[in-house]
Amino acid sequence: WRAPASKQSERSARGRPASAAAPSTMQNRYTRLGETCYGKLDKISAELFTLTYGALVADLVRNYKDVDEVNGKLEQMGYNIGLRLIDEFLAKSGVPRCGSFRESAEIISRVGFKMFLNVTPEVGNWNEQGTSCTFALEDNPLEDFVELPSSAKGLKYCNLLCGVLRGALESVHLAVESEIVSDALMGDARTEIRLTLKHIIEDQTNEDYHDE
Amino acid sequence: AEQRESRSSRSALREMDIVARPLSQGQRQVSRSAFSLLFAELFQYCQQRVQDANGLEEKLKELGHSVGWRTLNLLVARNRPRKRDTSVVGILQFITTVCWRTFFGRETNSLQRSTQSECEYFIYENDPVPNLYISVPRELEGRLNCASFNAGLIRGWLDAAQFPATVRAVVPPSDKSGARNTTTVYVVRFEPSVLERERK
């Protein structure tokens, strides 16, 4: 178990082999951390949150005729939120450096999602290399009270979440792709987001920098 | 096994027509940060679509209205199913206590009647939630109040309850101490038809 590194190095989670702790202990640790963090935060009615999001999506659908444009806009907005959310997440949770992408995924679910949305999506469907998994939301606060009309075919209602994941992880140097692969509003059993690690973003030094 | 059971009951719920599903208790919560992050982004989105501060406030009111308008029945059904508010004071009290408590976890600070106009009422709120996390750019200071979203909410509730009115969010003139005023006043102006109805 590594002691929490300074904020600078916390921002880069390198893909190293998993730490010595067994998966279930790690999971329990993060579950407890998530619950503690959520407990300390101010709360607000989930319905206000859900309905405000609904009002936003409805407005987008009215203004952008093309469903793909709406999806793109939602993802972009999520991305902007992710960039801001990561600072708050790191500051309030104090999670240490991750040993692997598997660990990152557990932290996202048990601490990240828990802290903000008070849900813990199930992490699963890992690929062989351990670089891609799905987050299954049994009970998605964004989708309460929502029913999509047939004219909204192709609308990815929760695309904001995909953007949030992309923005937040990019800030800790993980370039990811996230997309909705299963949507409860479209008739599937539950909403699932697939998160795939593309590569680790190396620290970029300015091209003009010369070692004097 | 417990998880599986709740999972199957949840999917059973999803099979049902959305309006036939049992009413939720409304106890669910999320962290306030989630709302503030969403609201900040919503604010940016509105800003891109309008020309000026006035337009921005109107856009926020519009979004608040759509939320309020949809939720009045829900709030009444949960909290006061056997009684319908038919008086102005009654509906305003319902809004400032029950509705506010459901959404924001607290009540507004005070409800007053205007001495100058019989169709105007003032609702005072300290530190409205939308204003907590948005810092208004200096050029818009005094002209933009993000609590217009709440004003829209109030108007939405009133519309759904058949009390047509206009609602604006204003900041009362600050006191002499010079400290930044974080109180917002929602000025509710009822249409004459509402008052005529009251008089009967």
Side-chain angles (χ1 to χ4, degrees):
Chain A
W1 182 84
R2 274 181 287 256
S6 68
K7 180 126 192 243
Q8 190 58 39
S9 50
E10 260 176 16
R11 288 178 149 269
S12 52
R14 308 275 165 196
R16 292 214 194 99
S19 51
S24 57
T25 330
M26 179 222 333
Q27 287 168 348
N28 289 341
R29 179 159 36 108
Y30 289 132
T31 302
R32 270 199 305 279
L33 178 61
E35 280 163 12
T36 313
C37 292
Y38 178 71
K40 288 191 205 150
L41 294 171
D42 282 333
K43 317 282 191 303
I44 205 166
S45 153
E47 284 172 350
L48 176 62
F49 175 77
T50 304
L51 292 161
T52 305
Y53 183 67
L56 176 63
V57 178
D59 200 72
L60 281 168
V61 169
R62 266 196 297 273
N63 291 316
Y64 293 91
K65 299 303 163 198
D66 185 25
V67 145
D68 283 323
E69 267 194 87
V70 176
N71 291 338
K73 190 79 187 142
L74 280 174
E75 210 272 350
Q76 182 61 39
M77 291 175 79
Y79 176 79
N80 295 341
I81 291 178
L83 294 177
R84 286 198 295 274
L85 178 145
I86 189 68
D87 282 333
E88 192 175 337
F89 170 74
L90 289 173
K92 291 192 174 154
S93 67
V95 289
R97 181 193 281 209
C98 289
S100 66
F101 190 63
R102 276 183 189 269
E103 201 175 338
S104 307
E106 294 294 335
I107 288 177
I108 291 168
S109 166
R110 289 165 199 276
V111 189
F113 269 91
K114 177 68 182 175
M115 259 173 81
F116 290 97
L117 296 181
N118 195 20
V119 289
T120 318
E122 198 183 300
V123 180
N125 296 332
W126 283 99
N127 66 351
E128 261 182 44
Q129 301 94 323
T131 55
S132 179
C133 64
T134 57
F135 290 84
L137 287 154
E138 277 300 335
D139 204 3
N140 188 352
L142 289 178
E143 287 172 349
D144 270 345
F145 308 123
V146 181
E147 185 181 54
L148 293 183
S150 49
S151 55
K153 222 170 165 54
L155 177 67
K156 297 181 185 165
Y157 190 82
C158 299
N159 228 17
L160 192 96
L161 291 179
C162 294
V164 172
L165 288 170
R166 185 170 69 92
L169 290 172
E170 191 180 283
S171 304
V172 289
H173 296 201
L174 296 177
V176 298
E177 244 173 36
S178 76
E179 60 170 336
I180 297 179
V181 292
S182 165
D183 199 336
L185 293 177
M186 287 292 181
D188 298 319
R190 54 196 188 164
T191 299
E192 286 184 24
I193 297 176
R194 177 161 282 283
L195 188 71
T196 307
L197 174 66
K198 298 265 88 166
H199 60 266
I200 294 171
I201 303 169
E202 297 294 332
D203 283 322
Q204 302 270 334
T205 49
N206 197 322
E207 276 173 351
D208 297 327
Y209 178 80
H210 293 296
D211 214 358
E212 295 285 326
Chain B
E2 206 184 271
Q3 226 183 7
R4 246 180 285 132
E5 207 176 88
S6 62
R7 206 175 289 173
S8 61
S9 67
R10 257 196 287 267
S11 38
L13 271 181
R14 259 193 287 268
E15 307 277 301
M16 288 171 82
D17 190 29
I18 195 169
V19 293
R21 288 178 210 165
L23 206 54
S24 55
Q25 287 301 313
Q27 309 290 5
R28 196 153 163 189
Q29 292 185 313
V30 293
S31 74
R32 200 197 275 175
S33 320
F35 178 76
S36 68
L37 285 162
L38 175 66
F39 189 79
E41 198 52 38
L42 183 147
F43 180 85
Q44 297 254 33
Y45 165 72
C46 293
Q47 220 177 359
Q48 285 162 9
R49 298 197 68 82
V50 300
Q51 316 296 339
D52 56 11
N54 220 12
L56 188 46
E57 282 198 347
E58 285 306 313
K59 190 81 192 158
L60 288 172
K61 273 190 216 168
E62 198 185 300
L63 291 169
H65 181 271
S66 72
V67 176
W69 189 75
R70 268 170 241 281
T71 51
L72 182 81
N73 275 342
L74 177 69
L75 293 164
V76 168
R78 271 196 205 133
N79 297 287
R80 216 178 287 185
R82 298 199 198 295
K83 182 174 185 274
R84 182 177 167 167
D85 285 300
T86 48
S87 71
V88 159
V89 174
I91 191 68
L92 284 175
Q93 279 181 337
F94 182 69
I95 288 174
T96 54
T97 55
V98 179
C99 300
W100 227 259
R101 235 183 295 135
T102 307
F103 275 6
F104 300 111
R106 60 171 190 213
E107 299 182 5
T108 57
N109 293 86
S110 80
L111 169 63
Q112 292 174 16
R113 188 167 183 169
S114 163
T115 46
Q116 280 151 356
S117 161
E118 63 169 351
C119 53
E120 260 189 13
Y121 286 77
F122 302 127
I123 300 173
Y124 285 77
E125 188 183 13
N126 295 342
D127 298 311
V129 172
N131 283 355
L132 286 177
Y133 301 103
I134 309 261
S135 56
V136 180
R138 204 170 305 143
E139 59 267 18
L140 291 174
E141 190 103 28
R143 294 196 284 134
L144 174 69
N145 192 337
C146 301
S148 299
F149 182 80
N150 291 0
L153 264 182
I154 297 173
R155 192 173 146 252
W157 285 320
L158 288 172
D159 266 348
Q162 308 294 323
F163 285 86
T166 57
V167 188
R168 312 177 269 135
V170 298
V171 178
S174 46
D175 56 15
K176 295 188 185 53
S177 70
R180 235 184 99 243
N181 195 347
T182 57
T183 304
T184 289
V185 183
Y186 305 105
V187 181
V188 184
R189 194 183 179 83
F190 289 99
E191 282 183 17
S193 57
V194 175
L195 295 153
E196 270 180 45
R197 205 170 62 196
E198 284 270 292
R199 278 189 218 113
K200 281 209 202 88

